[in-house]
């Protein structure tokens, strides 16, 4: 057995020691010989999966483009190259801005290297910065070419580390411009707009947005010479980060806009998946489900999880999880209970009503919260991962999650309280790596499960699905 396979076995032994440190026992593995035979089959059928010192050594894919294909939604799963693609990923929204400055560009590469070292495969980041400092779009359809080249760098660098990108196209909030900036541009052109929500309804602002979508999707990457809409590095387009339209609690305005935006993106790019960017609040179309909302206000923000995701052109569902923002800032077990029930409700609805995968595309806890400690952070992350694995083992719609958010060392000044620096958080890093291993194994089982012996399969099942904490 070669060195990489032995390193991977050692990494599993490391995980077993990690379990032991937590005061638990690992059942189903009886010595290194059985671990070796279990993992050997996995590695033999996983062409890109190697490890070094218990961590992932991800091969660059530039010379292996035949295997770097578009991820698609098929029923309630993601698939690529005919195999399932369950996601363990992260958010880092500011990558384009950092790449635009040569003094900070290296942090983008550093982040992707660190993320790949713990097996993370999808990153969500902004493909917008409207009218702000170091703006991508300085005014409607007017772009800073150097900032666009920075986005090119982010996409090309992600591919080197086998990380796919969800690119969000505009913000609901004022940070990085958002819908408020579009309203400012409209008023500067002579319109008389009085609400930021007119972003969703005014023809001129809808036209501004469509022009931006067209510019991004048709962009030819200056590093790879690949048009964005043809690049498998892009996992999906996100219509908007956390859209809300509080001026119309019925949800009709936002529903109309979602349908229009999704159809327009698909008219330009039928290959990539599209998601909305919703937080996941239930609305008027499903009154019985509003009991799962974190508070009564959530029903009044103009979003409607089930109805919104039934719009043509939407390929998978998105949900965010912020018990500390939505319920109370003080850490408590109620936050964990909410997280689990919130996830289970959306997984059930994605299966029952939508027939599509769901990604929990933002989740985390702030160090600024009263009662915060790193142990609670790990417990929250583990709750999310366990809930997803419970869906995975049943073939359910729980398709993955994205931590909010991952930072490289030396970027503390960008931290909103939620940042995870892997080098400073060894227990969290181990937990992420363990989940990545489970996801990678499950993603690879499809092509070789027919040869999988019962003894080895039972051992693997216990490794995949047993509780960690």
């Amino acid at each position: 057995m070669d060195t990489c396979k032995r390193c991977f076995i050692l990494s599993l032994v490391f995980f077993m020691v990690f379990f032991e440190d937590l005061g638990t026992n690992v059942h189903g593995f009886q010595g290194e010989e059985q671990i070796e035979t279990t993992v050997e089959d996995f590695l033999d059928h996983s062409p890109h999966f190697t490890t070094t010192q218990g961590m992932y050594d991800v091969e660059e894919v530039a010379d292996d483009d035949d295997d770097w294909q578009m991820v698609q939604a098929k029923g309630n799963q993601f698939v690529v190259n005919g195999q399932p693609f369950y996601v363990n990923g992260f958010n880092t929204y500011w990558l384009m801005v950092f790449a635009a400055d040569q003094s900070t560009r290296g942090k983008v590469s550093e982040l992707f290297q660190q993320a790949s070292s713990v097996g993370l495969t999808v990153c969500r980041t902004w493909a917008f910065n409207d009218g702000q400092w170091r703006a991508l779009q300085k005014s409607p359809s007017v772009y800073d070419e150097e900032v666009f080249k920075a986005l090119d760098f982010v996409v090309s660098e992600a591919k080197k580390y086998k990380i796919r990108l969800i690119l969000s196209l505009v913000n609901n909030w004022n940070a990085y411009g958002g819908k408020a900036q579009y309203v400012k541009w409209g008023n500067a052109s002579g319109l008389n707009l009085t609400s930021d929500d007119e972003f969703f309804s005014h023809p001129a602002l809808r036209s501004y947005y469509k022009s931006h979508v067209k510019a991004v999707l048709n962009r030819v990457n200056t590093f790879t010479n690949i048009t964005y809409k043809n690049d498998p590095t892009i996992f999906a387009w996100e219509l908007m980060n956390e859209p809300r339209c509080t001026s119309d609690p019925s949800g009709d305005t936002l529903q109309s806009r979602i349908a229009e935006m999704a159809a327009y993106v698909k008219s330009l790019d039928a290959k990539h998946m599209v998601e909305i960017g919703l937080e996941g609040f239930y609305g008027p179309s499903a009154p019985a489900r509003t009991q799962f909302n974190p508070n009564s206000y959530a029903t009044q923000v103009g979003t409607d999880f089930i109805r919104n995701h039934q719009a043509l052109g939407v390929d998978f569902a998105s949900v965010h999880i912020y018990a500390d923002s939505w319920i109370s800032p003080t850490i408590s077990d109620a936050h964990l209970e909410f997280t689990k029930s919130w996830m289970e409700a959306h997984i059930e609805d994605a299966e029952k009503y939508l027939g599509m995968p769901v990604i929990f595309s933002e989740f985390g806890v702030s160090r600024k919260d009263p009662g915060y400690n790193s142990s609670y952070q790990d417990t929250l992350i583990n709750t999310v991962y366990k809930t997803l694995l419970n869906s995975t083992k049943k073939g359910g719609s729980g398709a993955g999650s994205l931590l909010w958010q991952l930072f490289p060392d030396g970027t503390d000044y960008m931290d909103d309280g939620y940042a995870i620096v892997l080098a400073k958080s060894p227990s969290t890093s181990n937990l992420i790596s363990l989940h990545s291993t489970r996801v990678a194994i499950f993603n690879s089982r499809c092509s070789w499960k027919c040869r999988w012996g019962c003894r080895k399969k039972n051992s693997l099942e216990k490794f995949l699905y047993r509780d960690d904490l």
Side-chain angles (χ1 to χ4, degrees), residues 86-207:
Y86 289 94
V87 172
N88 193 23
F90 65 101
N91 289 268
T92 309
Y93 68 89
W94 42 254
L95 294 176
M96 179 179 67
V97 169
F98 267 52
D101 187 331
Q102 290 296 331
S103 69
T104 54
R105 176 169 286 191
K107 290 296 180 183
V108 176
S109 305
E110 184 181 331
L111 176 77
F112 285 146
Q113 187 279 324
Q114 291 173 0
S116 69
S117 78
V118 291
L120 296 172
T121 57
V122 174
C123 171
R124 177 171 169 265
T125 194
W126 296 169
F128 62 83
N129 188 13
D130 301 312
Q132 307 290 298
W133 172 76
R134 203 168 283 164
L136 171 63
Q137 188 177 199
K138 298 189 289 187
S139 59
S141 299
V142 177
Y143 292 89
D144 186 321
E145 177 62 16
E146 292 307 307
V147 180
F148 234 143
K149 287 179 179 177
L151 185 58
D152 295 343
F153 176 80
V154 171
V155 176
S156 66
E157 202 70 0
K159 183 181 180 183
K160 288 181 183 179
Y161 291 96
K162 293 195 66 182
I163 291 173
R164 299 175 190 266
L165 300 174
I166 296 176
L167 294 182
S168 189
L169 295 165
V170 71
N171 206 356
N172 181 73
W173 312 108
N174 293 347
Y176 285 58
K179 65 185 182 185
Q181 182 61 59
Y182 279 75
V183 169
K184 289 177 184 177
W185 284 334
N187 284 331
S189 73
L191 302 178
N192 183 26
L193 306 173
T194 59
S195 167
D196 289 348
D197 282 352
E198 292 189 70
F199 169 84
F200 298 112
S201 57
H202 197 283
L205 305 192
R206 297 204 307 268
S207 177

Side-chain angles (χ1 to χ4, degrees), residues 61 64-69 159 162-164 231-233:
V61 300
D64 198 11
D65 285 347
D66 288 345
D67 286 335
W68 193 240
Q69 302 296 321
K159 183 181 180 183
K162 293 195 66 182
I163 291 173
R164 299 175 190 266
D231 193 342
T233 308

Side-chain angles (χ1 to χ4, degrees), residues 394-447:
K394 297 182 289 188
S397 284
S401 60
L402 309 175
L403 285 159
W404 184 275
Q405 53 181 329
L406 203 66
F407 275 31
D409 205 3
T411 54
D412 301 28
Y413 58 95
M414 297 291 289
D415 186 6
D416 59 356
Y418 289 82
I420 296 172
V421 178
L422 294 175
K424 295 179 179 179
S425 309
S427 65
T428 304
S429 178
N430 292 339
L431 193 60
I432 294 169
S433 188
L434 171 61
H435 187 63
S436 294
T437 301
R438 287 171 159 168
V439 168
I441 291 173
F442 198 91
N443 286 345
S444 298
R445 293 174 71 192
C446 178
S447 63

